[in-house]
Amino acid sequence: MKTKDLQIVIIGNGVAGNSAASAIRKNSKEAAITMISQEPFPEYSPCVLSKRYISGEMKKEDVFLKNFKDYSRDNVKILFGQKVTGLETQKKKVILETGTVGYDKMIIATGGKPLVPPIPGVDKEGIFTLKSLGDAERIYNFNGKKAVVIGAGPIGVETSISLKKRGLKVSLVEQLGQVLPTIFDQEASLIIRKIIEDYGIEVITGQKAIRFNGDGHIRSVVTDRREIGCDMVVLALGIRPSMELAQKAGIEIGSLGGIKVNGQMMTNAEDVYACGDCVESRDAIAGKDILCLLWHNAKQQGEIAGYNSIGIRKNYSGAMNISVVDILGTYAVSISHTMESFKEVVLKIIEGKRDGYHRLLIADGIIVGAQIIGRTADIGPLISVILRRDNFDNIQKVIREGNLLSKYLWCYRLYPYIK
């Protein structure tokens, strides 16, 4: 089928869906693109919600990456504010509450949803999640004095800081023994924790929330060790793939709970692709299936799905965890793996405190993880080295011997991290 005759439906208006649409339109001006989203807004940046919008530092209009005219200019038909209730992959139809839309190719980019634990009282007024712009608006418009943020991942840390900036008294509660436990080792985590605590945020680790008290409205959080009074709670316990539509349609779901796709982002259903937070990915370093629900991975996956949907074969190279957290103007970056991923492997650790802090994890002569606090402006070569699985000893040798061949010049940009 020629691309001019293709009817392509994209479900989802986040970075994955929009990257897919851009890849399609870049290579085909004729293919018909219909984008469907339950949210009524044009594309916005979810990355700024926890760190700039709910703090009051960014106006709502500045959150958006597109306006409605952008879709029209790119000849993308939009059906926003409409809920998809089902998929008929045999008949190639998308079922909406208001009707049906046919397709030749479909790209599922339904994103993720916040994890809400089955804790008694979790439905009380004043308890929020933070994933969408609607969530952020509800938090921003709520007048509270004492907040408890549960979950000390990137969203939880940035939310705590934002609420503190607004003048709230804030407690940050983490079930595990440190802040940012899945992306930083303990040494880096302690540095970040001190910055947070010095700002006046109470950090509580190693405690689990077991109950929410209050008559209708939240009044306190009860952990397995104490009770914390509050009038507001933000649950920041992670994101899970939104795969229910696909599962209901008989599309294969992976063992980790995301839509299963191949290297071209194709599902087991004919002419159906999936990308972004709703899918399971292949770890580019470890080679195993993972959930890597991060913006840059969703963008790349969307592009791959878009290309393949119009017959341009592209393969996804795999997901890589690159997490960036803004700690009151000090940036902390985690690349690839932490020590938790290599419990059975003897690791070589290289640490330094020049212009901040850095930590490299080396397994069998290969850098498999890096954590940097402060000095984050020049990490591009470090990411490339990890992706290429370059031998660390060879890099050191180039720097030590002063080899000036142009193809090795990039090694010198790694000098602050490996000297």
Side-chain angles (χ1 to χ4, degrees):
M1 182 181 294
K2 296 181 179 179
T3 59
K4 69 177 182 179
D5 299 319
L6 279 177
Q7 298 285 334
I8 303 173
V9 171
I10 300 172
I11 304 176
N13 182 39
V15 60
N18 279 280
S19 295
S22 294
I24 294 166
R25 191 55 77 225
K26 187 185 301 182
N27 294 277
S28 172
K29 303 299 181 185
E30 301 87 8
I33 303 174
T34 300
M35 182 175 285
I36 306 171
S37 174
Q38 188 169 345
E39 291 188 276
F41 314 110
E43 184 186 9
Y44 59 86
S45 171
C47 302
V48 302
L49 299 179
S50 60
K51 62 184 176 182
R52 295 194 63 197
Y53 181 63
I54 65 171
S55 68
E57 297 171 281
M58 175 178 278
K59 295 180 180 179
K60 181 178 178 179
E61 55 264 31
D62 296 327
V63 169
F64 296 103
L65 301 174
K66 285 185 175 182
N67 58 49
F68 290 112
K69 291 181 180 178
D70 293 326
Y71 298 90
S72 178
R73 186 188 64 244
D74 293 337
N75 194 23
V76 175
K77 180 181 179 180
I78 58 174
L79 299 175
F80 289 176
Q82 299 206 35
K83 183 178 180 181
V84 177
T85 59
L87 308 174
E88 294 185 3
T89 58
Q90 296 294 323
K91 297 180 180 179
K92 292 194 171 183
K93 290 183 178 180
V94 177
I95 313 302
L96 308 175
E97 290 179 321
T98 56
T100 63
V101 179
Y103 68 86
D104 298 306
K105 306 283 185 177
M106 176 170 63
I107 300 174
I108 302 172
T110 45
K113 57 185 179 182
L115 179 63
V116 179
I119 298 175
V122 74
D123 57 345
K124 293 186 184 300
E125 185 182 352
I127 299 178
F128 305 92
T129 56
L130 178 51
K131 175 65 170 68
S132 67
L133 178 55
D135 293 335
E137 286 188 291
R138 285 185 284 274
I139 293 171
Y140 178 76
N141 291 321
F142 186 81
N143 294 317
K145 295 182 178 180
K146 173 65 169 73
V148 174
V149 178
I150 301 178
I155 299 300
V157 167
E158 291 179 344
T159 297
S160 297
I161 292 171
S162 290
L163 295 177
K164 180 65 177 177
K165 286 180 178 179
R166 286 178 51 188
L168 279 75
K169 184 178 179 182
V170 181
S171 296
L172 176 61
V173 179
E174 170 58 51
Q175 180 178 345
L176 300 179
Q178 64 185 62
V179 298
L180 301 168
T182 63
I183 60 175
F184 287 99
D185 292 330
Q186 186 177 46
E187 291 77 4
S189 176
L190 288 172
I191 295 171
I192 295 168
R193 177 173 184 154
K194 186 176 187 308
I195 298 172
I196 298 169
E197 289 181 324
D198 286 349
Y199 190 59
I201 295 170
E202 180 185 28
V203 179
I204 303 167
T205 55
Q207 295 190 33
K208 179 181 180 180
I210 60 173
R211 189 171 70 253
F212 297 114
N213 286 340
D215 296 327
H217 191 100
I218 183 69
R219 295 302 175 204
S220 69
V221 175
V222 179
T223 76
D224 47 7
R225 297 187 190 178
R226 61 186 292 188
E227 184 172 1
I228 310 165
C230 63
D231 51 18
M232 178 183 190
V233 170
V234 179
L235 301 174
L237 294 165
I239 305 296
R240 294 293 179 266
S242 291
M243 51 68 187
E244 289 81 6
L245 275 174
Q247 186 176 46
K248 184 179 176 182
I251 294 172
E252 185 178 1
I253 306 301
S255 60
L256 301 177
I259 299 172
K260 196 170 184 61
V261 293
N262 64 14
Q264 293 80 50
M265 309 309 297
M266 181 178 283
T267 72
N268 67 314
E270 184 179 4
D271 295 325
V272 178
Y273 301 81
C275 52
D277 289 357
C278 62
V279 307
E280 282 187 16
S281 304
R282 177 69 64 170
D283 189 305
I285 306 303
K288 61 182 180 180
D289 290 338
I290 58 170
L291 294 177
C292 196
L293 283 60
L294 297 171
W295 187 91
H296 64 279
N297 290 320
K299 183 177 188 300
Q300 187 179 11
Q301 291 171 359
E303 291 171 351
I304 298 295
Y307 280 121
N308 282 286
S309 72
I310 55 173
I312 301 175
R313 188 177 177 87
K314 298 269 187 179
N315 287 306
Y316 182 53
S317 58
M320 189 178 194
N321 175 30
I322 305 174
S323 298
V324 182
V325 189
D326 180 1
I327 317 293
L328 293 158
T330 297
Y331 285 88
V333 178
S334 175
I335 306 168
S336 196
H337 292 276
T338 65
M339 290 183 66
E340 183 69 19
S341 301
F342 295 93
K343 289 182 177 180
E344 308 302 321
V345 178
V346 177
L347 293 174
K348 179 179 180 181
I349 309 294
I350 293 181
E351 291 182 289
K353 294 185 178 180
R354 181 182 177 183
D355 300 327
Y357 172 84
H358 67 265
R359 177 182 181 87
L360 304 184
L361 308 182
I362 302 167
D364 297 325
I366 306 298
I367 303 176
V368 294
Q371 298 159 39
I372 303 110
I373 301 173
R375 186 188 177 95
T376 59
D378 193 23
I379 61 173
L382 193 54
I383 295 172
S384 297
V385 163
I386 295 173
L387 280 172
R388 288 198 305 263
R389 302 180 66 81
D390 290 333
N391 184 276
F392 182 74
D393 291 338
N394 289 345
I395 297 170
Q396 283 189 312
K397 182 179 179 182
V398 168
I399 294 176
R400 185 171 59 248
E401 295 180 355
N403 193 323
L404 297 179
L405 292 176
S406 60
K407 69 177 181 178
Y408 294 123
L409 286 178
W410 58 267
C411 289
Y412 291 95
R413 296 171 67 187
L414 298 178
Y415 177 77
Y417 304 115
I418 68 175
K419 68 169 186 170

